[in-house]
Amino acid sequence: LSVATNFDPPTDTSMNAPLALVTGGAGFLGSHLCERLLDLGHRVIAYDDLSTGHRSHVDHLAHRPGFRLVVHDITQPLPDDPALAEVGRVFNLACPASPSKYQLDPVQTTLTSVLGIWHLLQLAERTGARLLQTSTSEIYGNPQVHPQVESYPGHVDPVGPRACYDEGKRCAETLCDAFRRQGRADVRIARLFNSYGPRLRPGDGRVVSNFVVQALRGEPLTVYGDGSQTRSFCYVSDTIDGLLRLMESDCSGPVNIGNPDERTVGDLADTVIRMTGSGSPIVNRPLPADDPVRRRPDIGLARERLGWQPEVSLEQGLGETIGYFRRELGLDVPLRKLA
Amino acid sequence: LSVATNFDPPTDTSMNAPLALVTGGAGFLGSHLCERLLDLGHRVIAYDDLSTGHRSHVDHLAHRPGFRLVVHDITQPLPDDPALAEVGRVFNLACPASPSKYQLDPVQTTLTSVLGIWHLLQLAERTGARLLQTSTSEIYGNPQVHPQVESYPGHVDPVGPRACYDEGKRCAETLCDAFRRQGRADVRIARLFNSYGPRLRPGDGRVVSNFVVQALRGEPLTVYGDGSQTRSFCYVSDTIDGLLRLMESDCSGPVNIGNPDERTVGDLADTVIRMTGSGSPIVNRPLPADDPVRRRPDIGLARERLGWQPEVSLEQGLGETIGYFRRELGLDVPLRKLA
């Protein structure tokens, strides 16, 4: 897989290596980002409150020099840690991202985005660290234009069932941009579309992990609505590559990071069944309120300003993901056919 | 003027009278609300950081029993005041509302809405006080549907020049609604459209006060764009009446509070010139970015659930407002014609 970035890899992980703070560092994307940063020779402090992140995601990093996991909830003031003064890059990935998780405690979800970015922006202002906020395609809500370009203002009900996530993320963007406008912090805003890959959690409610786990277990694949709603799935290594390029670019954003290869949910289900060789049927369930009908990024800005585009096809990425879940679940479903 | 409300007026302002907290209590709307609550026999604590509010707005209330002004910025934790435990109603009106003011410090503007409501929601949760959040028609942004009904999700760029106000207010709604969903606080959300009346500040950049002051001073009336953009102007007594009715209703909202009598800005300028008898010309200036083209509330919900609608015509309200500014400015422009 192509993992080229503009990041300048330091030669060692001594005390002189650059230090990054990754919030949500034990989450799905966060753990991949920590790993990549370490591979590039950076030191990494990972914050995670372990509400949806898991120690097991970073267990394999624990022994590596320059890595440290701190259990911390970013709605609370930052720990009094002298190392924070050395941080040169802050990646904020701290927020539950799956509707079934973030709707459990909507107050906490909103505060994670808003108080979290407020605490991190103050750190960035104090130390001069550059801060990258991972925003989301959810800020476009149920979009009325297609594909979504960064100038599209979105279609989000501020008191709808997904608002706790969407409006928290929107407001976090606003705070980042306000710091930028006032010259108080050097910020980057990425709007991430659906990502997938190893370390998605079985049962966290995201469609790729749902389907793969159901197929591997021989259970029916749950398709909400008639499956004609679309999503664009970006493999995790591409997403991480986009984040690193944006961080080192001179573009403050917002920049869409996602895969423009749009698929229907029904097509995804068929592909997963085919690639796992599963005998699972598909069952249809009612579409939840506020579920977006279509979602596809326009990545013209990322192409132009970051020289970035996804390199991993859905079939390649699904192959990696299925392999991960097969090992993770300890299941022995026969693989009848490889893509 | 009709000022009927569902508020049950207590018989005295002794220690047994109900206690309301009004944040932004020295502002334009806040000072009118404090006065009305005192008239109805309530005790009132007003918080204001005096950034855009003014002591002079509540000087005439200072001697009244049961009134207290506290200089406090609600982005900071609430003062340690035992009286807060007695508060039965919290009206949050604390936020600069004029673009020329709220854009001066966008970080502080957003935090005023977001940290402010967070502090007040925690108070409401702790004490059981009912909390009314004054949201705004600005959450609709530059609306693509007309008139705006509460279910319209709006058209706001989260990194646009007005985002600090709009997204802060949107996120405050979301937090209120999240507390409601979780059964943690009893909330009401009002979406206020343009209000006007005495105690608007000369030079705060809002169109009614701009025009009236310019006309009374014989200066040119500044119309941005060609004046064809519309606004709906609600006289302050009607707005206050709507807030009080919503607070005592069983409707958590959001509810639009505004006047559906839509006027073009050009028409407003002509009316002000006519009513002041001014010889001022009209000058046109470029329309600022993000200036909404049309803005008119659908008040069907307020009519149905609150039994509320505006009672004061634009000409009546302008008459009161012109009289106020004439006294305020100490100007003696001859009144050639009364509407």
Side-chain angles (χ1 to χ4, degrees):
Chain A
L1 304 183
S2 162
V3 291
T5 77
N6 295 328
F7 238 48
D8 193 9
T11 51
D12 65 346
T13 53
S14 71
M15 287 303 289
N16 293 322
L19 179 60
L21 173 64
V22 178
T23 65
F28 162 54
L29 288 176
S31 63
H32 284 280
L33 177 61
C34 289
E35 185 167 353
R36 181 83 75 91
L37 286 165
L38 291 168
D39 290 347
L40 290 167
H42 296 254
R43 292 178 295 146
V44 176
I45 299 174
Y47 281 175
D48 206 298
D49 70 354
L50 302 178
S51 59
T52 61
H54 294 267
R55 277 184 196 279
S56 60
H57 286 169
V58 291
D59 271 348
H60 65 299
L61 306 178
H63 68 283
R64 292 182 62 166
F67 180 75
R68 182 151 59 95
L69 173 66
V70 178
V71 179
H72 176 69
D73 170 1
I74 63 163
T75 68
Q76 302 301 315
L78 296 184
D80 185 15
D81 179 353
L84 291 179
E86 296 173 50
V87 168
R89 297 288 184 265
V90 179
F91 295 87
N92 182 25
L93 283 77
C95 192
S98 171
S100 67
K101 301 293 185 206
Y102 69 60
Q103 289 174 344
L104 288 176
D105 187 347
V107 171
Q108 177 67 12
T109 298
T110 305
L111 295 175
T112 299
S113 284
V114 175
L115 295 183
I117 199 67
W118 165 233
H119 294 141
L120 296 173
L121 283 163
Q122 289 174 94
L123 173 69
E125 180 175 34
R126 198 167 63 239
T127 66
R130 186 180 291 173
L131 169 60
L132 185 149
Q133 164 66 5
T134 56
S135 189
T136 165
S137 61
E138 289 281 327
I139 70 105
Y140 299 122
N142 197 343
Q144 311 293 295
V145 304
H146 206 75
Q148 290 82 54
V149 67
E150 287 85 353
S151 58
Y152 175 61
H155 196 258
V156 172
D157 180 352
V159 295
R162 297 168 86 106
C164 58
Y165 184 68
D166 302 359
E167 294 292 348
K169 286 285 193 180
R170 289 175 66 99
C171 191
E173 284 197 14
T174 303
L175 276 170
C176 288
D177 193 59
F179 269 77
R180 182 193 63 77
R181 284 172 188 266
Q182 297 184 253
R184 292 173 59 177
D186 187 19
V187 301
R188 303 288 182 271
I189 300 171
R191 289 180 179 159
L192 302 185
F193 285 64
N194 287 38
S195 293
Y196 72 100
R199 295 187 209 139
L200 280 175
R201 300 295 295 183
D204 92 341
R206 282 189 275 199
V207 64
V208 172
S209 43
N210 275 4
F211 284 175
V212 170
V213 170
Q214 289 167 332
L216 289 175
R217 287 179 171 155
E219 297 166 356
L221 272 63
T222 313
V223 170
Y224 294 96
D226 65 1
S228 64
Q229 72 272 33
T230 66
R231 295 290 184 276
S232 303
F233 300 103
C234 192
Y235 189 64
V236 58
S237 63
D238 282 331
T239 303
I240 300 300
D241 191 36
L243 292 179
L244 293 172
R245 285 179 186 250
L246 174 60
M247 180 61 109
E248 299 309 315
S249 77
D250 60 1
C251 176
S252 60
V255 180
N256 289 338
I257 301 288
N259 196 320
D261 177 17
E262 183 179 9
R263 308 277 181 125
T264 68
V265 169
D267 177 47
L268 177 73
D270 293 339
T271 304
V272 168
I273 288 174
R274 178 172 53 78
M275 288 184 63
T276 53
S278 171
S280 292
I282 288 174
V283 295
N284 296 83
R285 294 272 174 78
L287 203 63
D290 274 19
D291 199 54
V293 176
R294 299 185 70 187
R295 201 57 84 59
R296 179 159 71 92
D298 180 312
I299 61 165
L301 186 62
R303 282 200 173 97
E304 182 196 335
R305 297 295 300 274
L306 315 181
W308 176 87
Q309 62 181 15
E311 304 289 344
V312 182
S313 73
L314 182 64
E315 285 68 20
Q316 279 180 287
L318 277 180
E320 298 282 341
T321 308
I322 291 167
Y324 166 80
F325 277 110
R326 181 172 283 121
R327 292 187 300 276
E328 192 71 4
L329 299 174
L331 292 175
D332 190 27
V333 175
L335 190 65
R336 288 206 293 263
K337 184 176 173 185
L338 273 167
Chain B
L1 304 184
S2 163
V3 291
T5 78
N6 295 328
F7 238 48
D8 193 8
T11 51
D12 65 345
T13 54
S14 72
M15 287 304 289
N16 294 322
L19 179 60
L21 173 64
V22 178
T23 65
F28 161 54
L29 288 176
S31 64
H32 284 279
L33 177 60
C34 290
E35 185 167 351
R36 180 84 74 91
L37 286 165
L38 290 168
D39 290 347
L40 290 167
H42 296 255
R43 292 177 295 147
V44 176
I45 299 174
Y47 281 175
D48 206 298
D49 70 354
L50 302 179
S51 59
T52 60
H54 293 267
R55 278 184 195 279
S56 61
H57 286 169
V58 290
D59 272 349
H60 65 299
L61 306 178
H63 68 282
R64 290 182 64 166
F67 179 76
R68 182 151 59 96
L69 173 66
V70 177
V71 179
H72 177 69
D73 170 0
I74 63 163
T75 68
Q76 302 301 315
L78 296 184
D80 185 17
D81 179 353
L84 290 179
E86 296 174 49
V87 168
R89 298 288 184 265
V90 179
F91 295 87
N92 182 25
L93 283 77
C95 193
S98 170
S100 67
K101 301 294 185 204
Y102 69 61
Q103 290 175 343
L104 287 177
D105 187 346
V107 171
Q108 176 67 12
T109 298
T110 305
L111 294 176
T112 299
S113 283
V114 175
L115 296 183
I117 199 68
W118 166 232
H119 294 141
L120 296 173
L121 282 163
Q122 289 175 93
L123 173 69
E125 180 175 34
R126 197 166 64 240
T127 66
R130 186 178 291 174
L131 169 60
L132 184 149
Q133 164 66 4
T134 56
S135 189
T136 165
S137 61
E138 288 282 328
I139 70 103
Y140 300 121
N142 197 343
Q144 311 294 295
V145 305
H146 206 74
Q148 291 82 54
V149 66
E150 287 85 352
S151 58
Y152 175 61
H155 196 259
V156 172
D157 180 352
V159 295
R162 298 168 85 107
C164 58
Y165 183 69
D166 302 0
E167 294 293 347
K169 287 285 193 179
R170 289 175 67 97
C171 191
E173 283 197 13
T174 303
L175 276 169
C176 288
D177 194 58
F179 268 77
R180 182 193 63 76
R181 283 172 188 268
Q182 296 184 252
R184 292 173 59 176
D186 187 19
V187 302
R188 304 288 182 272
I189 301 170
R191 289 180 179 160
L192 302 185
F193 285 63
N194 288 38
S195 293
Y196 72 100
R199 294 186 211 141
L200 280 175
R201 300 295 295 184
D204 92 341
R206 282 190 274 200
V207 63
V208 172
S209 43
N210 275 3
F211 284 174
V212 170
V213 170
Q214 289 168 331
L216 289 175
R217 287 177 169 155
E219 297 167 356
L221 272 63
T222 314
V223 170
Y224 294 97
D226 65 0
S228 65
Q229 72 273 34
T230 66
R231 295 290 184 275
S232 303
F233 300 103
C234 192
Y235 189 64
V236 59
S237 63
D238 282 330
T239 303
I240 300 301
D241 190 37
L243 292 179
L244 292 172
R245 284 179 185 249
L246 174 60
M247 179 61 108
E248 299 309 315
S249 77
D250 59 0
C251 175
S252 59
V255 180
N256 289 338
I257 301 287
N259 196 320
D261 177 18
E262 184 179 9
R263 308 278 182 125
T264 68
V265 169
D267 177 47
L268 177 72
D270 293 339
T271 305
V272 168
I273 288 174
R274 177 172 53 79
M275 287 185 64
T276 53
S278 171
S280 292
I282 289 173
V283 294
N284 295 84
R285 294 271 174 78
L287 203 62
D290 273 17
D291 199 55
V293 175
R294 299 184 72 185
R295 201 57 84 58
R296 178 158 70 93
D298 180 312
I299 61 165
L301 186 63
R303 282 200 172 98
E304 181 196 337
R305 297 296 299 276
L306 315 181
W308 176 87
Q309 62 181 15
E311 304 289 346
V312 182
S313 72
L314 182 64
E315 285 69 20
Q316 280 179 288
L318 277 180
E320 298 282 341
T321 308
I322 291 167
Y324 166 80
F325 277 110
R326 182 172 283 119
R327 292 187 300 275
E328 192 72 4
L329 299 174
L331 292 175
D332 191 26
V333 175
L335 190 66
R336 288 207 293 265
K337 185 176 171 185
L338 273 166

